[in-house]
Amino acid sequence: MSRLRRILFPIRLAAARLGSGGGRLALVALGIVAGTAALGAVLGGRLVMQDRALAQATAALPSGNRSLEVAWVGDFGPTWRALDRQVVPAMDKLAGRKPIATMLYRESQINGRLVNLRAVNGLAPYVHLDAGRLPKTCVPSHCEVLRIAGVGPVPSKSTIRLIQVGRATLDPAAPFKPFIQPAESGIVSAAVQYHTAQPSPVLLADGVDGLSRTSELATFFRAYAWFVPVEAGDVHPWSVGAYTQKVDRLRAQMSADSGQYEVTAPTDQLTAAVTSSRVAARRLLLLGGEVGTLLLAFTILAAGALRREITAARQRLAFSGARRSQIELQTFVETGAVAVAATIVGWAIGALVAAGVASRAGSPAWPVVEHALLSATGLTTAAAAAATAAVLLYLAVRAPALQAGRLTVTPLDVAALAAIGAVVLGYARGSVDTQSLAASKGTGVFVLLVPGLVTFAAAICAVRLLVPTLRALGRIGRRGPIALRLAVVSLARNPGGAATVATFLVASLGLALFAVTYRSTLLQGQRDEAAYAAPAPYVLDENLSQLVPVLHAWKGGPATQIVRLSGNVPSSASFTFLGVPPTALAQTGGWRSDFASTSLAALAKRLAPKTSTALHSTALPAGKTFALPVSTNGDDISVRAFFRSPLGDFDSVILGPTDGSKRIVLHGRIPFTGATLTSLELDLISPRLTANGGTGTQPTARGVLHLGVPSVDGKPVTNAFADWLGVQGASIQSTGIAYSTTAGDTTVIRPRQPTDGNPIPVLATPAIAAAAGNNRIVPLTIEGEQIVGHIVGILHRFPSIAGDAIIADRQTAETALDTSSPGLGTTNELWVDSLGQPAPSTLTVISRAQVLAGLRADPLARGALITLASAAALALALALIGLLLGVAGDRRDERGELFDLEAQGAAPATIRTHLRLRALLVACFGLIGGAITGAILSSLVLSLVSVTASAALPEPPLRLVLDGRLLAGAIVAYAVLAAVLVYAATALHERAPARAAEAAA
C-alpha cells in the first residue's frame, strides 16, 4: 500500500495542479489541439479528394461500360420470368436498386422479311421521339414498337402482330445502348452505300415479358440482359474492394445457376481510378507533415514558457522529500494528460472539419470520418500524435533552455546530421513519381517526414548560427545607437529564450514560404501542362470517324498548317515527326527555355531553308480530261498519273496500259480543279519471268517508254516533262524512258525536287540524335517511307509530343515525304489562334482553355492547392503568435535587467526601444533563416515529388516558380502585423521598478 501511495501521490498532485491552474497550459494545449485537428482534417480531406476523383472517373466512363450487367444468351431454356426471378433479387441485394431488364433477338426472318427485335422494361426515359408516340406495353397477341434504326417495312403475320407507332433514337446515356443499338458503321462513300445491302429495321418494344412469350419467336435465339448503372457516388474508395467481392460472388452464384450467364461490371476501371487517386492522397502526406511539424514546433515554443514554473514546482517537491522517480512521474503525468486530452479534442475537431468538407463536396460525411479517422490506421495515427506530443512536452519543460553559444557537439547536433543524411539518402534514390507513390508505403512515410527532417535540421543550424551572428552584429555596430548595442549584447549573453523563438520563426516562416512556393509551382505546372498539350489556343485534327482532310473542313480564318506523323530510326527508337513552318515554330505555345540549350528562335532559324523547297510539279490548264500519247519498245506496262490539288491532296488515276510500239493516247479524269501533275508510275500488267541476281525468277517488265505531249481537254501542255527524272528502275535517255520494273517495286518518273540528294534539316531529341553518324546524318523511317535527316539542333522535348521528337520545316518535309509517297506530307493538323465560329463536326478540336479548365477542376488538384494555401496562412499566423510569445517572455524573463536599466537612468522610451530592437533582431534572423529553409525545402520537395497537382506524371516537368507579388505581399503583411504586435506588447504602461519588485516578491 505504501508503494501504491507513492505512485498515486504524484498522479493526484498532477491532477490537482491541472484542475487548479489549467489556464497556464491552455496555450500549450491549443497548439496540440490545432496540430491534431489539422492532421485529422488532412486525413479526412484526402479521403474526400479520393472519393470525388473516383466519382469523376466513374462519371467519365462511357455509359456502356458503367453498369453492372448480367446477361443470359441462348435459344431453348428457362422462361424470362424464371430467369428474372433469379437475377433481380441478386442484383438488388448487391446494388441496392432493381435492374433495367432488356432483351434482343438476333436478326430474324418473319414472313419473309428480316427484322431486329428488342425490348426494354420502362422504355420512356431512355428514348427521344422523332415521330409518332411511345408504344404501349407489349403483349404476345400484338406488340407496338418504335423504329430506332434500319429501313424497310415492319413484318407481321397472324402469330405476331408488330405495329410501328413511331420513330426514336436511344438516349446516349442509356446503360443498355451498346446492347440494344446496332454498331454504327460511320460515313462511307456513296459507291459503298450503293453496293451494300440496306440494314434491316431495328424495332424496340416496351416490355420484355410480352415479347419473350410471343409464340412465333419461341425457337428464336435471344439474349436477356439486366443493367444497374453505377452512378457517381455509388462506389467509394473504401468500398471498391467490397464491391468487387460482391460482383465476384454474384458471378459465382449466376454461374452455379446456369452456365449461360455472364456477369460484367467496371471493377477494373474503378480499381484503377482509386489507385490513381491514392497517389494524390499520399502526396497530401507531405502537406500533413508540414502542418504537423509546424504545430509541434509551436507546442515546444509555448511549453518553454512553463519551464520556470515547473522547475520551481519540482524544487518544492524535492525539498518536501519527494523521490526523483515521483518528481519525474508527476511531470510526465501533468504534461502527458495535457497532450492526450488535447489530442482527443483536436481529433474530434478534425473529424468535424472532415465531415463538413465531405458534406460540402458531396461525399457521405460519416463514412469519411469513419474510414479516415476512426479506422485502425486513423486511431493509430492519433495515438502516435498523442505520444509524440506527450514526449515533446515532457522534454520541453524538463530540458534546460537552449544554449546557442556552446561549441560542443550535442545530441541535437547529431540528430540534425542524421536528418540531413536521411534526406540526402532519399534524394539519391531519385524522385518520387506516380508509380512509386502508388506502390510503396515506405515512400509515403518518407514523403511525410521530409518537411520535418529539413525543418529540424534548419532549426538546429539556426541555433548554432544565432550567437555568432549576434556577436558579428555587435562588432559591426559598436558605434551605433546605444539601444541597438544593448539589444545585441543582451541577446548574445543570454540567447536561450531568443534561440527558441528564432528557431520557431525559422521553421514557421520556412514552411510558409514552402507552401506558397509549392502552390505557385503547381499552379504554373497546370498552365504549362495545358500549353504543352495545346501549342496553340486551338488545335484541329481530323475526326477519325469521318476522315475529312483538315484543309477541306476548315473554312475559318488564318491557321498554321502542321504535318504530324510517326516514325523510327535504325536503333528502333520511335518518335513523333512534326512539320512546322519556321515562322510559326518560334511562336510555339508551351515552349520553355529549359527544353533546349538554344533559344527556339535560333532553332527555327536553323530549320528555315535558304531557297524555296516547294514541291515541283507540272501545271495543267483548266479542264477535266487528261490525255497522254504513249508507245513502248519492250514489255507493256500500265501508266498511273498522280495529281495534286491546291490544298495539297493527292489522287492517282490509272491512265491505262500501253500497246507495244503502237502509239496510243491514254486518258484519265483529273480529280481536282486547279490540279498539277506530280508524277507517273509504271506498273506491271503482263510481266515475264526473268532471273534476278540469284534470287530466282521474278515477274519483270523491261523496255523503253516514249511519251508524247500531254493535253487537257485538247489543250497541249508544253514542256510537261522538262527536268523530270526516273527513279527506282527508270532513267531518262535521249531515245525515251528506259524502265525495268519488278513486282514489289514502284517505278516512277517525276520532276526533279529541291530535296533530291539533300538531307532535310531537323531538330531531334537526344535519343534520336544518338542514332546519327559522325556527320549528324540520320535515316528516318516515317510511316514506312525512308528519308534522310540532318540534325541541326538538339531539344529535350517539344510541346504536344510525349517522348522523342523530330521537328522539321513543314514545306521541306512535305516535299520530301510527298516525293517518297504522294500524299504522305499532306497537312493533317491546324494550329488556330481564334475559331471565330463553331468548328465543323468533321474536325476534332483541342482547346487550351478547356484543357486548363479540366486540370483546375480536378478534385485532387483543387484539394492539394487549398491545403497548401491553408498551410501557408496557418504558418504565417503561428509565426506572428510565436513572435508575440517571444516578446511576452522577454518582458517576463528580463524584469531584473529592465529594472537595472531604469535604475541607471534609462527612460521608458529607451527600454521600449531596447525590447523592440531585441524582437526586431530575432524576427529578422527568423525571416532570413526561414527564407533559406523555404528555398531548400521547396527545391528538395520538387526534386523528390515529381507529380502534378492532380498527381499525374508532369509533362512537361514541374519547375520551381516564385510568385513575386504573392511573396512580397505576404512579407509586407507579416512585417506590418509583426510591428503592430511588437509595439503593443512592448508598451510599458507601468514603471519597471514596480514590476521588478513584484517579480522579487
Side-chain angles (χ1 to χ4, degrees):
M1 290 300 296
S2 63
R3 290 180 180 179
L4 182 60
R5 284 195 296 270
R6 283 197 298 268
I7 295 174
L8 293 178
F9 172 73
I11 297 177
R12 290 199 302 269
L13 178 60
R17 283 174 54 82
L18 289 173
S20 61
R24 56 196 171 82
L25 293 173
L27 190 60
V28 178
L30 180 62
I32 300 175
V33 167
T36 52
L39 183 58
V42 167
L43 293 178
R46 72 171 188 161
L47 190 57
V48 172
M49 288 170 53
Q50 282 186 276
D51 188 49
R52 291 299 86 205
L54 179 59
Q56 192 177 69
T58 303
L61 290 174
S63 58
N65 298 331
R66 200 175 64 237
S67 298
L68 170 65
E69 175 185 352
V70 176
W72 183 95
V73 180
D75 44 11
F76 296 100
T79 63
W80 177 81
R81 290 182 176 180
L83 295 173
D84 192 61
R85 284 194 296 269
Q86 287 181 339
V87 174
V88 171
M91 295 187 73
D92 189 11
K93 181 180 179 181
L94 189 155
R97 55 181 180 271
K98 295 187 181 298
I100 304 166
T102 65
M103 77 166 297
L104 65 81
Y105 291 97
R106 283 185 178 177
E107 187 176 50
S108 309
Q109 191 174 48
I110 299 176
N111 201 19
R113 300 183 184 277
L114 294 176
V115 66
N116 294 277
L117 287 175
R118 284 94 166 92
V120 176
N121 280 353
L123 179 63
Y126 307 108
V127 294
H128 300 290
L129 278 176
D130 299 326
R133 61 173 175 83
L134 290 172
K136 297 179 180 178
T137 302
C138 179
V139 294
S141 59
H142 63 280
C143 193
E144 295 183 351
V145 295
L146 292 174
R147 185 190 296 263
I148 60 173
V151 296
V154 176
S156 184
K157 56 189 302 188
S158 59
T159 53
I160 178 171
R161 292 181 58 199
L162 299 176
I163 306 166
Q164 179 178 333
V165 297
R167 297 185 62 92
T169 55
L170 281 177
D171 189 328
F176 50 79
K177 183 176 181 181
F179 179 77
I180 294 293
Q181 184 78 43
E184 298 177 358
S185 58
I187 296 178
V188 296
S189 66
V192 173
Q193 289 180 348
Y194 179 79
H195 293 288
T196 302
Q198 296 299 301
S200 55
V202 181
L203 307 177
L204 185 58
D206 187 350
V208 174
D209 182 51
L211 190 62
S212 67
R213 291 189 293 110
T214 304
S215 59
E216 176 69 20
L217 308 173
T219 60
F220 285 17
F221 194 91
R222 81 283 308 277
Y224 300 113
W226 293 260
F227 296 86
V228 176
V230 180
E231 304 294 345
D234 283 354
V235 183
H236 303 282
W238 54 85
S239 63
V240 168
Y243 181 78
T244 302
Q245 291 177 356
K246 290 179 180 179
V247 172
D248 291 340
R249 286 197 295 268
L250 177 64
R251 185 178 291 113
Q253 177 186 341
M254 293 293 101
S255 298
D257 291 338
S258 171
Q260 294 171 282
Y261 280 119
E262 181 178 358
V263 178
T264 58
T267 53
D268 291 342
Q269 296 91 326
L270 295 175
T271 302
V274 170
T275 301
S276 176
S277 65
R278 189 177 296 123
V279 174
R282 287 186 175 169
R283 196 266 306 280
L284 269 188
L285 293 174
L286 176 71
L287 311 179
E290 173 191 351
V291 174
T293 300
L294 178 63
L295 288 163
L296 285 176
F298 177 78
T299 299
I300 296 173
L301 174 66
L306 301 175
R307 187 181 297 111
R308 177 178 294 181
E309 179 183 350
I310 291 181
T311 300
R314 290 168 59 88
Q315 291 173 350
R316 288 194 296 270
L317 286 173
F319 181 77
S320 302
R323 299 182 179 183
R324 182 178 181 83
S325 59
Q326 290 178 307
I327 296 173
E328 299 298 340
L329 178 60
Q330 184 272 333
T331 304
F332 185 77
V333 169
E334 187 171 344
T335 54
V338 172
V340 172
T343 300
I344 294 173
V345 174
W347 208 245
I349 294 174
L352 292 176
V353 173
V357 171
S359 299
R360 186 176 181 84
S363 296
W366 171 247
V368 166
V369 173
E370 180 183 10
H371 290 89
L373 278 74
L374 302 181
S375 63
T377 302
L379 293 177
T380 301
T381 302
T388 302
V391 171
L392 288 176
L393 264 182
Y394 174 75
L395 294 177
V397 300
R398 180 69 181 84
L402 288 173
Q403 296 297 324
R406 295 178 181 176
L407 296 178
T408 57
V409 177
T410 66
L412 288 177
D413 298 324
V414 176
L417 291 175
I420 295 173
V423 173
V424 171
L425 179 62
Y427 184 82
R429 291 177 58 188
S431 63
V432 179
D433 56 11
T434 303
Q435 289 75 19
S436 57
L437 273 177
S440 174
K441 294 183 179 179
T443 298
V445 174
F446 175 71
V447 170
L448 174 64
L449 294 177
V450 165
L453 294 174
V454 174
T455 306
F456 174 72
I460 299 303
C461 291
V463 171
R464 283 301 189 181
L465 292 174
L466 178 61
V467 171
T469 302
L470 292 173
R471 289 174 178 172
L473 285 176
R475 287 191 292 269
I476 295 172
R478 286 177 179 174
R479 297 183 180 179
I482 185 63
L484 177 61
R485 292 165 59 190
L486 282 174
V488 171
V489 171
S490 62
L491 285 174
R493 287 179 176 176
N494 185 19
T500 304
V501 175
T503 53
F504 177 74
L505 292 180
V506 167
S508 58
L509 293 176
L511 290 173
L513 177 62
F514 158 70
V516 171
T517 303
Y518 195 34
R519 184 176 185 275
S520 61
T521 296
L522 294 180
L523 286 172
Q524 184 60 46
Q526 289 180 334
R527 292 189 288 269
D528 287 351
E529 188 176 354
Y532 192 90
Y538 299 94
V539 177
L540 282 60
D541 295 318
E542 292 181 7
N543 188 326
L544 297 181
S545 67
Q546 303 188 40
L547 299 180
V548 177
V550 293
L551 292 179
H552 286 263
W554 176 245
K555 305 300 181 184
T560 300
Q561 300 182 28
I562 304 296
V563 176
R564 185 185 295 271
L565 301 167
S566 60
N568 61 277
V569 292
S571 63
S572 298
S574 59
F575 59 82
T576 298
F577 180 89
L578 207 64
V580 186
T583 53
L585 181 64
Q587 306 299 324
T588 300
W591 176 266
R592 292 192 333 211
S593 58
D594 58 324
F595 291 175
S597 57
T598 308
S599 68
L600 188 58
L603 293 175
K605 189 175 181 180
R606 296 179 188 178
L607 288 184
K610 296 183 174 64
T611 59
S612 174
T613 57
L615 184 74
H616 291 178
S617 59
T618 299
L620 301 176
K624 296 182 178 180
T625 303
F626 178 78
L628 177 64
V630 298
S631 64
T632 60
N633 292 331
D635 299 322
D636 284 327
I637 53 175
S638 178
V639 181
R640 181 192 304 266
F642 282 85
F643 298 93
R644 184 175 187 265
S645 77
L647 295 179
D649 304 305
F650 283 81
D651 200 357
S652 64
V653 176
I654 298 177
L655 301 180
T658 60
D659 190 8
S661 59
K662 180 180 179 181
R663 189 176 184 82
I664 62 173
V665 179
L666 305 179
H667 297 85
R669 187 174 181 84
I670 299 175
F672 308 112
T673 300
T676 59
L677 178 65
T678 61
S679 63
L680 296 175
E681 183 179 304
L682 310 182
D683 301 325
L684 296 174
I685 52 173
S686 56
R688 57 180 175 175
L689 298 177
T690 60
N692 187 11
T695 60
T697 57
Q698 293 186 0
T700 305
R702 295 176 179 171
V704 177
L705 175 66
H706 303 281
L707 299 178
V709 177
S711 62
V712 176
D713 288 352
K715 294 174 282 189
V717 182
T718 58
N719 297 321
F721 304 115
D723 201 26
W724 278 44
L725 53 82
V727 295
Q728 298 176 347
S731 63
I732 307 294
Q733 301 177 357
S734 58
T735 58
I737 302 170
Y739 59 88
S740 176
T741 183
T742 61
D745 291 338
T746 303
T747 302
V748 176
I749 55 175
R750 59 169 176 78
R752 193 179 305 275
Q753 300 297 344
T755 56
D756 288 341
N758 300 315
I760 65 172
V762 298
L763 307 174
T765 49
I768 304 300
N774 295 331
N775 54 0
R776 303 175 72 84
I777 301 297
V778 59
L780 306 172
T781 302
I782 300 175
E783 303 290 349
E785 299 294 332
Q786 193 169 69
I787 63 174
V788 179
H790 176 218
I791 299 177
V792 297
I794 303 294
L795 42 78
H796 300 291
R797 53 178 38 84
F798 192 82
S800 78
I801 297 177
D804 290 311
I806 288 286
I807 312 298
D809 166 46
R810 185 193 64 80
Q811 191 176 76
T812 304
E814 180 185 83
T815 299
L817 294 170
D818 286 341
T819 299
S820 179
S821 177
L824 184 58
T826 301
T827 296
N828 57 6
E829 183 173 301
L830 298 176
W831 293 355
V832 181
D833 290 334
S834 176
L835 289 180
Q837 59 183 1
S841 60
T842 52
L843 294 179
T844 299
V845 180
I846 300 176
S847 167
R848 183 188 297 171
Q850 289 181 351
V851 173
L852 181 58
L855 293 172
R856 288 176 173 173
D858 186 274
L860 305 176
R862 293 174 60 190
L865 295 174
I866 291 173
T867 305
L868 281 168
S870 302
L874 177 62
L876 285 175
L878 288 179
L880 292 171
I881 297 174
L883 182 62
L884 182 60
L885 287 177
V887 174
D890 223 9
R891 288 186 56 183
R892 181 188 65 246
D893 298 337
E894 300 296 325
R895 290 174 180 176
E897 287 77 2
L898 296 179
F899 173 75
D900 289 341
L901 286 175
E902 189 166 4
Q904 295 173 22
T910 303
I911 297 175
R912 283 195 298 269
T913 304
H914 169 73
L915 288 173
R916 290 167 184 170
L917 285 175
R918 284 172 61 96
L920 176 63
L921 289 172
V922 173
C924 289
F925 183 83
L927 183 60
I928 295 172
I932 297 173
T933 302
I936 295 173
L937 189 56
S938 299
S939 179
L940 276 175
V941 169
L942 191 62
S943 301
L944 289 171
V945 187
S946 56
V947 293
T948 63
S950 55
L953 187 65
E955 188 61 50
L958 294 175
R959 58 174 176 171
L960 192 63
V961 175
L962 297 176
D963 190 334
R965 293 183 179 179
L966 183 60
L967 286 175
I971 291 174
V972 170
Y974 173 76
V976 171
L977 291 174
V980 171
L981 290 176
V982 170
Y983 180 86
T986 55
L988 301 178
H989 300 296
E990 303 174 7
R991 294 184 58 81
R995 291 194 304 278
E998 292 175 3

